Amino acid sequence: MVANEKIDSLYSIIFVLLGLFVLFVCRVYDFYYEWTSFLGFMVIISSVNVPMALRRKKQIKKIDELRKELDLSIEEVREMADIGKYDLVNWDWKNAFISPRKLYLLEDTLEKMYLKNFGKEFEKK
């Protein structure tokens, strides 16, 4: 796991624990009805992937900026990420399915390449 993936996983665990704590408090104070337990359960389940989903747009933007700074073509980036061959004419980040794991690895790889080439960490513009 790369650093950003670990951070998002930690946030997911915190959301789940917070949801379980809320369900526990509802149970202790007799505010535990069928609708609260179902609603709480749904919030817990849906909150697991929230940090990763929120980070995806930022990751894509950062990867594109890193690609431009490193002067890499889109084909080279796709090859590095092992995301397959897509139509080059209409290809964009939003329409291509890329697993979150591959996106984290690609972001980490490009950051390391930037650090190696320029001797400093990448900063957003």
Side-chain angles (χ1 to χ4, degrees):
M1 290 181 89
V2 295
N4 288 336
E5 192 174 7
K6 289 178 184 177
I7 291 169
D8 289 345
S9 298
L10 182 64
Y11 282 137
S12 296
I13 291 169
I14 289 170
F15 283 144
V16 167
L17 292 175
L18 186 63
L20 290 173
F21 179 73
V22 168
L23 284 177
F24 175 73
V25 168
C26 289
R27 181 72 173 195
V28 168
Y29 289 109
D30 289 332
F31 189 66
Y32 195 75
Y33 303 106
E34 288 181 22
W35 64 272
T36 57
S37 62
F38 178 74
L39 182 64
F41 177 74
M42 292 307 292
V43 168
I44 291 170
I45 295 300
S46 63
S47 69
V48 170
N49 291 322
V50 169
M52 291 178 196
L54 293 176
R55 188 180 292 267
R56 184 174 172 89
K57 187 175 181 179
K58 292 178 186 177
Q59 279 180 318
I60 290 172
K61 185 177 178 184
K62 186 175 183 180
I63 289 169
D64 202 36
E65 289 176 5
L66 280 165
R67 180 187 67 81
K68 289 176 185 173
E69 289 289 326
L70 292 168
D71 197 31
L72 297 172
S73 68
I74 202 77
E75 296 88 9
E76 292 171 320
V77 172
R78 289 194 326 222
E79 187 177 314
M80 288 170 59
D82 191 29
I83 55 178
K85 304 289 183 198
Y86 296 99
D87 183 18
L88 290 176
V89 177
N90 295 323
W91 192 89
D92 67 2
W93 290 100
K94 294 177 186 172
N95 295 333
F97 173 73
I98 305 167
S99 69
R101 176 77 178 139
K102 287 184 180 181
L103 214 59
Y104 282 113
L105 289 174
L106 178 61
E107 180 185 19
D108 190 54
T109 303
L110 290 175
E111 284 178 344
K112 287 178 182 175
M113 283 179 64
Y114 186 87
L115 183 63
K116 183 180 176 183
N117 287 350
F118 297 105
K120 61 180 181 177
E121 289 189 23
F122 178 74
E123 295 178 15
K124 289 184 181 181
K125 293 180 181 180

